[in-house]
Amino acid sequence: MARKTDDFYGQVEDTLHLAAAAAADELGVSVGQIYYARRRMREGRVLVGPEPWSEDEDALIMASADLTAKQLTERLSGRTYEAVRARRLQIGAPTRGRGYHAKPTAVAGRPLIAKTCRSCGELQPGDMYLWRSATRTWHSYCIVCTSTRSRDFRVANGSESKFGLRQQEITLPTADRRYLDYTDRDMAVLTDQSLTVVEKALTLHRTYFGTAAALERFGLRSAMVPVAERLHDSWKIDNPNEDRVADIRRELEGANR
């Protein structure tokens, strides 16, 4: 017998005339489960017996895709958590992921409209924050500041790519529109997949890192930088036999003449 189901509570009701230990032996469960079930029944938190689901209950379940099963159980007075989960599957009710962050601006039916970033101090809209599933809270820093802090950490530890730092240096002199909102013209440039990130940054008068962060935020892509250009001046192999190789090449060229 599955624990904490409506049928289980119905059987517990039939054993109310017995001591908890005797009821546990009869139902094949622990004494603690009997105490737990009886306490919930006394508090009126469960419906005893397999009560049929009403149309209103089914309608609420179908319309509560943003709620977790636990939150939905609190709205369905008397229904158990396990019964609600089973009913959701039985009637094919929609659920969006685990229900904790169905949309960037909603957490289990409680929308995040805006929040003040602890880093920049600006009041940012809800879609500028990431959801932390471990603690079920929104991040304290907006995605722009999160990206900046992460990049600063990589630069300080020498793990930032030399290519990215070079592109940032290229775009810094002309970046006079940093931190401004993106206009329709800006969005047209960002959505152009024939341009690389640095070309978009120069066109928009923004930094390379800022443009890359905007592309990530809007889910847009850019043209890839050719490998030869990406590696240009970024590294060089020191060959101790380079002079000897050059002499051999000259000798071969002279012999072929």
Side-chain angles (χ1 to χ4, degrees):
M1 170 67 67
R3 308 296 182 258
K4 303 180 185 177
T5 63
D6 291 345
D7 290 336
F8 173 69
Y9 284 107
Q11 292 193 5
V12 173
E13 185 187 30
D14 294 336
T15 61
L16 291 178
H17 62 286
L18 300 176
D25 291 338
E26 182 173 327
L27 298 180
V29 298
S30 67
V31 176
Q33 289 174 316
I34 295 296
Y35 283 134
Y36 175 82
R38 288 181 175 180
R39 176 173 59 82
R40 286 176 61 88
M41 292 166 59
R42 288 194 303 270
E43 295 172 353
R45 300 179 62 182
V46 295
L47 292 174
V48 177
E51 295 288 338
W53 290 85
S54 66
E55 294 182 0
D56 291 340
E57 288 177 320
D58 287 345
L60 178 59
I61 293 175
M62 294 295 294
S64 302
D66 288 331
L67 296 180
T68 64
K70 182 178 180 180
Q71 291 169 326
L72 187 55
T73 303
E74 295 175 355
R75 296 194 177 188
L76 294 170
S77 178
R79 293 294 183 182
T80 62
Y81 171 76
E82 288 75 10
V84 171
R85 291 187 61 187
R87 188 61 177 175
R88 263 185 163 178
L89 295 175
Q90 184 179 0
I91 65 177
T95 57
R96 298 169 184 169
R98 296 179 61 188
Y100 298 127
H101 54 110
K103 296 180 293 185
T105 56
V107 178
R110 294 171 294 177
L112 175 66
I113 304 301
K115 183 177 180 179
T116 300
C117 176
R118 288 182 57 186
S119 180
C120 64
E122 297 290 335
L123 182 64
Q124 303 284 5
D127 58 359
M128 290 289 289
Y129 293 89
L130 298 176
W131 172 254
R132 294 185 291 194
S133 58
T135 57
R136 298 183 184 177
T137 58
W138 293 104
H139 205 284
S140 300
Y141 307 108
C142 67
I143 57 177
V144 175
C145 291
T146 299
S147 177
T148 302
R149 288 165 60 90
S150 176
R151 183 171 59 250
D152 292 344
F153 177 81
R154 295 196 303 270
V155 171
N157 288 273
S159 58
E160 180 63 75
S161 67
K162 293 182 179 180
F163 174 78
L165 294 175
R166 289 202 314 275
Q167 303 305 301
Q168 179 74 352
E169 293 174 358
I170 292 173
T171 57
L172 274 175
T174 59
D176 54 7
R177 298 187 65 246
R178 302 172 66 182
Y179 310 116
L180 297 180
D181 293 336
Y182 284 86
T183 64
D184 293 340
R185 175 185 172 276
D186 295 340
M187 293 303 299
V189 175
L190 289 178
T191 54
D192 189 350
Q193 297 189 16
S194 65
L195 300 176
T196 63
V197 178
V198 68
E199 290 172 339
K200 293 179 179 181
L202 292 173
T203 303
L204 299 175
H205 290 260
R206 298 176 185 267
T207 64
Y208 171 81
F209 287 145
T211 304
L215 291 169
E216 181 178 357
R217 178 171 33 140
F218 297 126
L220 302 176
R221 296 184 177 182
S222 302
M224 296 296 295
V225 177
V227 176
E229 181 179 343
R230 182 182 293 269
L231 297 180
H232 182 65
D233 291 336
S234 62
W235 56 273
K236 181 178 182 298
I237 298 177
D238 294 327
N239 185 358
N241 298 315
E242 187 174 357
D243 295 338
R244 177 57 180 160
V245 171
D247 293 339
I248 294 176
R249 286 178 177 173
R250 284 194 294 268
E251 293 176 2
L252 292 175
E253 290 176 358
N256 292 332
R257 291 178 180 176

